Amino acid sequence: MFITDLITYSTVRIECTFFGGGARTGTGFFMNLCIEEDQYIPVIVTNRHVVKGALTGKFCLTRKTSDNKPDIGNFRFFEIDRFAEQWFYHPNVDLAVMPIAPLLTQSAGEGESFFFSPLAPELIPTEDELKDMPAMQEIVMVGYPNGIWDSVNNQPVFRKGITATHPELEYNGKPEFLIDAACFNGSSGSPVFILDIGKVTTRSSGTTIGPSRVKLLGILYAGPQHVASGEVHTVEVGTKKDMAFTAIPNNLGNVISSKALLDFEPQLKDLATKGRRPGRMEPCPCGSGERYKRCHGKIV
Ligand SMILES: [Zn+2]
């Protein structure tokens, strides 16, 4: 499949319900972490604020044809109870991952398999690649703005934009950067890509015609919004359908640098080895020396 076609199968629309009847939608994407030879841990990635506190979560996967292609329009809904408890939460940035191997194994047992296209850590740009990237790169963001999707074909929506600050730099001292793209509610958790087809531009070589390049620059989580008083606040690109809306997004978006995804690997490896999460008082698997409850198990 062509790379952009594959990317349409890398995202998943997440619908959550909350205590008191609230609901929200966000974007998740599939990723394989902890890759070692033929072993890996498949997860869904989204923002912490999308799933935190959710009672139930619903998403759907497109079934596979017998010749390993997406059977477009034929998909299955999964509804998961105690949804918020299924996720690992990043202690410092607005990210969460949910291991999906149990769900896939169970589905396989029921004779079901799905077509989706997980991203891999090799798509995360290296420091050298970031250093060689000129400012103002074209980017593509894939997701479900305002919850909008093609619900007949289970397809996400592509949006284009540019990097508004350089992804190599920590914007205002945080591990994030800004993009200029239409960043709406429901886009929370959208992967942000550099998607160069047949033309790559670097600082060292200028523009080269021929090669293509795909890089996962980061994950959208917030955006500056103008409120009625004329001030500008950065708020989570969120989410609640029942929120009274007085703020106007200004087409900028805050994007968490993709390297933060690798921070989940020690916890995922620990889960894979032990088959359970650490106890609250046990040492954190990340190796910080802190107890789990004070580190990656911290409830934030
Ligand atoms: Zn830790």
Side-chain angles (χ1 to χ4, degrees):
M1 270 174 106
F2 196 73
I3 181 65
T4 45
D5 291 326
L6 265 178
I7 282 178
T8 63
Y9 294 95
S10 65
T11 59
V12 62
R13 183 177 179 275
I14 301 174
E15 261 182 76
C16 298
T17 64
F18 295 85
F19 187 73
R24 76 175 63 150
T25 62
T27 301
F29 61 92
F30 300 100
M31 184 146 194
N32 289 339
L33 289 170
C34 306
I35 297 181
E36 277 171 33
E37 292 172 17
D38 57 346
Q39 303 268 317
Y40 56 86
I41 298 177
V43 296
I44 293 177
V45 178
T46 189
N47 290 138
R48 183 169 62 206
H49 78 259
V50 169
V51 291
K52 191 186 151 198
L55 296 177
T56 67
K58 198 165 108 176
F59 55 88
C60 68
L61 297 181
T62 295
R63 292 189 172 95
K64 224 187 236 184
T65 60
S66 51
D67 56 348
N68 264 342
K69 293 199 172 92
D71 189 3
I72 297 174
N74 177 8
F75 48 87
R76 170 173 168 185
F77 274 97
F78 291 88
E79 186 153 2
I80 298 180
D81 290 331
R82 299 165 63 142
F83 195 50
E85 293 169 36
Q86 315 298 320
W87 295 77
F88 285 102
Y89 297 92
H90 197 288
N92 307 318
V93 298
D94 188 351
L95 282 180
V97 302
M98 176 175 73
I100 54 166
L103 187 131
L104 297 175
T105 311
Q106 194 194 333
S107 303
E110 294 161 4
E112 295 241 67
S113 56
F114 302 98
F115 190 93
F116 58 94
S117 159
L119 308 179
E122 66 188 34
L123 295 178
I124 299 171
T126 62
E127 269 178 41
D128 285 346
E129 284 170 332
L130 286 175
K131 276 199 173 73
D132 205 17
M133 197 177 281
M136 204 200 72
Q137 291 293 292
E138 280 197 21
I139 53 105
V140 169
M141 178 169 76
V142 192
Y144 309 90
N146 286 339
I148 291 167
W149 63 317
D150 178 349
S151 62
V152 171
N153 297 303
N154 184 23
Q155 294 284 310
V157 174
F158 281 71
R159 312 223 59 160
K160 259 184 107 163
I162 53 167
T163 54
T165 66
H166 202 290
E168 180 195 0
L169 303 177
E170 297 202 329
Y171 176 69
N172 282 339
K174 290 185 180 171
E176 62 182 58
F177 59 95
L178 289 186
I179 56 168
D180 179 0
C183 306
F184 286 107
N185 295 339
S187 305
S188 269
S190 290
V192 174
F193 297 100
I194 278 201
L195 202 57
D196 293 328
I197 311 290
K199 187 180 82 159
V200 170
T201 303
T202 60
R203 282 172 171 158
S204 56
S205 309
T207 299
T208 317
I209 305 295
S212 297
R213 172 174 66 167
V214 183
K215 288 289 159 190
L216 173 63
L217 287 185
I219 304 97
L220 180 74
Y221 83 101
Q225 303 207 338
H226 297 271
V227 293
S229 64
E231 291 167 60
V232 179
H233 297 288
T234 297
V235 298
E236 291 169 353
V237 186
T239 58
K240 280 190 177 158
K241 277 184 191 157
D242 48 3
M243 201 198 293
F245 229 80
T246 55
I248 304 158
N250 66 4
N251 283 357
L252 291 172
N254 297 61
V255 178
I256 300 163
S257 298
S258 51
K259 61 176 189 274
L261 291 165
L262 300 175
D263 298 341
F264 288 106
E265 290 199 324
Q267 296 173 78
L268 291 168
K269 264 185 215 160
D270 185 71
L271 177 73
T273 319
K274 295 188 184 142
R276 61 167 182 87
R277 292 181 187 230
R280 312 282 308 147
M281 305 300 279
E282 287 183 56
C284 188
C286 78
S288 63
E290 289 279 356
R291 286 183 174 161
Y292 184 61
K293 69 169 187 178
R294 295 200 183 283
C295 195
H296 284 82
K298 193 153 105 189
I299 297 162
V300 280

